[in-house]
Amino acid sequence: MITNEFWLDRWKTGRIGFHQEGVNPKLIEFWPILPKGSSVLVPLCGKSNDMIWLAEQGYQVTGVELSSLAVIQFLGDNDLSYDTHQQGELKIHTVNGLPLRIVEGDYFLFTESEFDACYDRAAMIAMPDSRRAEYVTHTLGRMSSTASLLLISLQYDGDTQGPPFSVEEESITALWGNKIQRIASENLAQTTPLYKEQGHNVFEESVWRIQA
């Protein structure tokens, strides 16, 4: 069962293979050009340095993360000074000198809306099938009617159980709507020996976009 406690335990025990050092090359390649100051939501952000990159492009970045350990590590690893205030059950950490804040708490309790864009590298694929529709509905509710989305998803064969979960192409279009389009894909099983060793013939990473 994938619960909040499951993820908190993963951070506590350092089992965070989903974390990527550096900035995701697909973010740099495929992020849409938006006006400076556009608000960008990063759900289930972990301690991703993708947020630093987005903030350095001049966007107002809001990451939402359950684990206080992830938040502390992100702020500490990047030597960021910040101010914190409590807002209901959520803690808001506002970084000094960068247009960036981290909201600490359960993403489903985060109700701000009208974001201009959303970046999802590892959030949807962290959701079990039973919660995926709820996650997408909640995320779409945070975005404006003209918002852009950049989504990175996985689809793989074999006996592996997630997270990260394998999500069928048809499921993505059913969940996100007919505006979403796949713009790139790569079978990592052909380029990364690890996936082949794990028994995958297909471990496909796809990039999807809703463009305003």
Side-chain angles (χ1 to χ4, degrees), residues 14 28 34 37 66 83 100-101 125 143 166 172 197:
I28 297 170
L34 300 170
L66 177 68
D83 299 308
L100 171 61
R101 63 193 179 132
I125 57 176
M143 297 162 62
S166 177
I172 291 174
E197 290 164 14

Side-chain angles (χ1 to χ4, degrees), residues 51-121:
M51 292 185 289
I52 300 284
W53 184 87
L54 286 164
E56 287 175 343
Q57 309 314 302
Y59 303 121
Q60 300 284 337
V61 180
T62 299
V64 185
E65 172 54 42
L66 177 68
S67 167
S68 58
L69 269 178
V71 174
I72 290 165
Q73 288 175 22
F74 172 77
L75 296 167
D77 290 352
N78 291 289
D79 199 23
L80 299 171
S81 65
Y82 58 93
D83 299 308
T84 300
H85 73 275
Q86 193 82 26
Q87 191 172 300
E89 293 186 56
L90 303 172
K91 274 186 188 174
I92 316 292
H93 306 279
T94 303
V95 173
N96 299 317
L98 267 182
L100 171 61
R101 63 193 179 132
I102 307 294
V103 178
E104 180 188 328
D106 188 327
Y107 178 57
F108 292 99
L109 298 177
F110 178 71
T111 57
E112 291 180 25
S113 59
E114 295 301 310
F115 282 89
D116 300 310
C118 176
Y119 171 59
D120 177 341
R121 181 192 75 79

